[in-house]
Amino acid sequence: MATECLDKKQTIDLRKKFIGPSCKVFFSHDPLKIVRARGQYMYDENGQQYLDCINNVAHVGHSHPTVVRAGTQQMELLNTNSRFLHDNLVLYAERLQATLPDPLSVCYFVNSGSEANDLALRLAWQYTGHRDVITLNNAYHGHVSSLIDISPYKFHQLSDDEHKQSVHVAPSPDVYRGKFRADHPDPALAYSDEVRDIITRAHKRGGKIAAFIAESLQSCGGQVVPPAGYFQKVAAHVRAAGGVVIADEVQVGFGRVGSHFWGFQLQGEDFVPDIVTMGKPIGNGHPMSCVVTTREVAQAFMAAGMEYFNTFGGNPVSCAIGLAVLDVIQNEDLQGNALRVGAHLSRLLGGLKETHPLVGDVRGPGLFVGVELVRDRVKLTPATAEAQEVIYKLKEQHILLSADGPHRNVLKIKPPMCFSREDAERVVEKIHLVINVQHKLSCESLSTTPSNLLTPQS
C-alpha cells in the first residue's frame, strides 16, 4: 500500500504540474490533504479529524470493514468481465431489483453516474425513436458530452449557438425561489404545465420528445424538493408525447431520504419512472453504477442489433461490494438512521431559521438537507459570500461542508449514513456560532459607518 511520503506543499506542487487545471479541489485557498477515513470522519496528514458532511459517496461510512472485506476477498479469487457467468452479477441484480417497483426489472451495470445517465439516454432514444430531451434548469447529470448537453448547471456557460436545439429546459420545481412558490395554490400543476408547453413548442418545430430526465431531488441545483404530484403530472405529458421518464438517483438513492429507499418514491406509489439511474453510493466509493429499466425498453434496445458490453460493468468485485453495501444498509438500519437523524437535524436547523434572518429556508428529507442563506427574506437576495464564509469557518472547526445551487448560497448536508444525532447537534451549533459572529461583525460595521452614508441624500 502506498504511504504518504510527501509534505503538503510537494503534493500541491505535483498536482499543479501533472493534473489538469480544471480539476478543482475543496477549499482552494488552503486545500486539505486527506490520508485516511473511517465512518463519518476523515483525517489529514497530521492526524486531525474532520466530520464529513460532504460525502454522500461513502454512503455506509468510509472504509466500512464489511465492504472492504467483501471487495478484498473477491479480488483474491477472481475479477473478470461479465461475458463469463458469475453468481455475484445475478445475485446482486436480484437484490437490487427487489428494492424497486416490479416494472423496473432489467439491469445494466456500468462504472459511474455519468455512464449510467449516458446509457439511459441511449435507451430512451432507441425505445422511442425520438431525439428531443427535456431537462430541468440548474440540473447536472454528468461530465460526458451527451450529459453536458442536458446539464444547464454546466452548459449555461456556453453561448446560445453551442446549445443543442433538441434539448429543452423546464423550470426547476423550486417552491422557495422558483417561478411558482409555496403560496401558489398548485405548484405541481403549474410546473408540470411548463413541461406540457415545452412539448407543444417542440412539436410545432418538428421535434419529438424522447425523454424527460430529472434528479428525484435536485442536488447541484440547490437541494430542491419537487412538490408532491409533480412527477406524476410531468410523466403523463411526456408519455402522451411518446417519451419516457428517467429518474436520476445518483445522488439521492439507497435510503438517503429516510422514509423510502429511492427518492422518486417520495412522490407516491402511483409514480414509477421508465428508467432509473444510480451511482455514487452504490459502491460506497468503489466505481460502479447501474441503469434499471423495464423489459419493454430493454427489448427495444436489443432490437437495434448492437451488443452492449462494458468491460468493467458488473464485474465480480463490484457486485460483491454492491451486495455488501446493501447488507450494511439493512443490518445497521441506515435508512432508519437517515430518517431519525435527518428529522432531528431538520428540527435543529429550523430553530436556526427562527433565530437568524440569514437562514431563509431549510429543506430536504432524511440526510439530504439544504439550508438556503439569504440577505433579505422578502427579496430572497442570495447570501453567497456568507455561505462561503460559513464553509471556511466550519473547516476551521474541523467540519466539512459545501455550498451549491445557482447562487452558491445553499449549504448542502449529505453525510455518510452513519451520521449521528450528536454529529447533527455539533454541526448546527457551529453554524449557529459562525452566523452569530457574522451578524455581530455586520452590526459593528454599520455602527461605525458615518451617518451621512446611512441616510439617503436628497
Side-chain angles (χ1 to χ4, degrees):
M1 184 175 70
T3 57
E4 294 297 321
C5 57
L6 305 175
D7 64 35
K8 185 174 173 179
K9 183 180 182 306
Q10 288 176 303
T11 302
I12 292 171
D13 290 343
L14 287 173
R15 182 176 176 119
K16 289 179 178 177
K17 183 176 180 180
F18 294 113
I19 305 302
S22 57
C23 300
K24 304 298 185 183
V25 295
F26 286 127
F27 312 109
S28 57
H29 300 307
D30 182 23
L32 288 174
K33 183 175 182 178
I34 298 297
V35 300
R36 65 184 181 93
R38 188 69 171 234
Q40 64 270 50
Y41 301 106
M42 305 180 82
Y43 300 85
D44 69 14
E45 76 278 18
N46 299 312
Q48 176 62 59
Q49 183 188 83
Y50 291 84
L51 177 60
D52 181 7
C53 301
I54 293 175
N55 263 296
N56 58 331
V57 178
H59 191 62
V60 302
H62 291 280
S63 308
H64 195 288
T66 299
V67 178
V68 172
R69 184 165 54 249
T72 301
Q73 289 178 349
Q74 182 56 53
M75 198 176 295
E76 289 176 341
L77 290 173
L78 170 72
N79 200 22
T80 186
N81 65 63
S82 60
R83 283 189 170 131
F84 296 98
L85 293 177
H86 198 280
D87 289 349
N88 286 4
L89 175 65
V90 294
L91 292 174
Y92 183 53
E94 182 181 44
R95 283 279 300 280
L96 195 59
Q97 194 284 322
T99 68
L100 292 157
D102 286 338
L104 295 164
S105 58
V106 181
C107 301
Y108 297 88
F109 290 105
V110 287
N111 306 291
S112 70
S114 291
E115 278 193 50
N117 282 328
D118 179 72
L119 178 56
L121 290 181
R122 289 180 59 190
L123 291 170
W125 288 328
Q126 179 62 34
Y127 176 69
T128 64
H130 303 167
R131 294 297 297 181
D132 288 31
V133 176
I134 302 173
T135 187
L136 294 179
N137 198 21
N138 306 317
Y140 175 66
H141 293 290
H143 62 79
V144 301
S145 296
S146 66
L147 304 177
I148 295 297
D149 288 342
I150 63 166
S151 296
Y153 181 82
K154 292 291 186 180
F155 76 55
H156 76 273
Q157 303 168 43
L158 304 176
S159 68
D160 289 341
D161 292 338
E162 294 176 282
H163 293 173
K164 282 287 185 72
Q165 296 304 304
S166 59
V167 175
H168 312 278
V169 180
S172 170
D174 181 351
V175 297
Y176 178 70
R177 178 180 292 280
K179 185 175 182 179
F180 307 108
R181 300 182 178 176
D183 58 356
H184 190 280
D186 193 345
L189 177 63
Y191 277 119
S192 66
D193 283 350
E194 294 283 322
V195 176
R196 178 202 61 195
D197 294 344
I198 285 172
I199 294 171
T200 300
R201 291 193 296 271
H203 285 174
K204 286 180 179 178
R205 292 201 302 267
K208 293 184 177 180
I209 303 301
F212 169 87
I213 183 171
E215 291 180 280
S216 300
L217 301 97
Q218 276 194 299
S219 180
C220 292
Q223 309 292 94
V224 174
V225 182
Y230 170 71
F231 282 121
Q232 287 92 326
K233 293 177 172 64
V234 167
H237 294 311
V238 171
R239 288 168 179 159
V244 298
V245 176
I246 302 170
D248 180 342
E249 291 273 341
V250 170
Q251 294 268 10
V252 299
F254 292 88
R256 176 162 294 278
V257 302
S259 58
H260 299 82
F261 202 79
W262 301 106
F264 72 80
Q265 292 172 322
L266 292 167
Q267 292 278 311
E269 293 184 1
D270 57 338
F271 172 63
V272 179
D274 302 289
I275 302 171
V276 175
T277 61
M278 49 195 78
K280 294 189 188 300
I282 190 172
N284 208 53
H286 179 80
M288 61 182 296
S289 59
C290 187
V291 180
V292 186
T293 189
T294 65
R295 181 67 56 186
E296 293 76 16
V297 172
Q299 291 289 352
F301 191 53
M302 185 180 70
M306 182 186 297
E307 177 193 7
Y308 182 77
F309 172 67
N310 188 301
T311 302
F312 301 110
N315 69 72
V317 171
S318 293
C319 291
I321 288 171
L323 283 163
V325 169
L326 293 179
D327 286 341
V328 175
I329 293 171
Q330 179 178 347
N331 295 340
E332 298 184 10
D333 189 26
L334 293 185
Q335 183 179 335
N337 188 65
L339 181 64
R340 294 184 295 272
V341 175
H344 185 54
L345 174 63
S346 292
R347 282 193 297 270
L348 295 173
L349 290 169
L352 276 190
K353 181 180 175 182
E354 293 178 3
T355 305
H356 299 292
L358 185 67
V359 179
D361 193 34
V362 176
R363 56 181 178 261
L367 289 175
F368 185 80
V369 179
V371 181
E372 182 152 359
L373 303 186
V374 295
R375 294 175 180 171
D376 186 307
R377 286 189 177 179
V378 176
K379 297 178 180 178
L380 304 188
T381 308
T384 302
E386 291 86 343
Q388 298 305 309
E389 178 76 3
V390 168
I391 289 167
Y392 273 88
K393 291 299 183 183
L394 285 182
K395 173 178 172 272
E396 293 175 5
Q397 299 294 319
H398 310 125
I399 296 171
L400 304 182
L401 203 63
S402 64
D404 222 323
H407 306 287
R408 298 292 194 274
N409 67 316
V410 181
L411 305 178
K412 297 170 65 173
I413 304 176
K414 48 186 183 68
M417 297 267 281
C418 49
F419 199 73
S420 69
R421 288 175 62 92
E422 292 74 21
D423 295 327
E425 291 162 4
R426 177 184 169 192
V427 170
V428 175
E429 177 190 11
K430 296 301 183 183
I431 293 174
H432 166 69
L433 293 174
V434 170
I435 292 177
N436 258 350
V437 171
Q438 286 181 335
H439 179 68
K440 181 179 178 182
L441 291 174
S442 176
C443 292
E444 289 176 353
S445 175
L446 287 173
S447 68
T448 57
T449 301
S451 59
N452 66 314
L453 296 181
L454 295 175
T455 305
Q457 300 299 303
S458 59

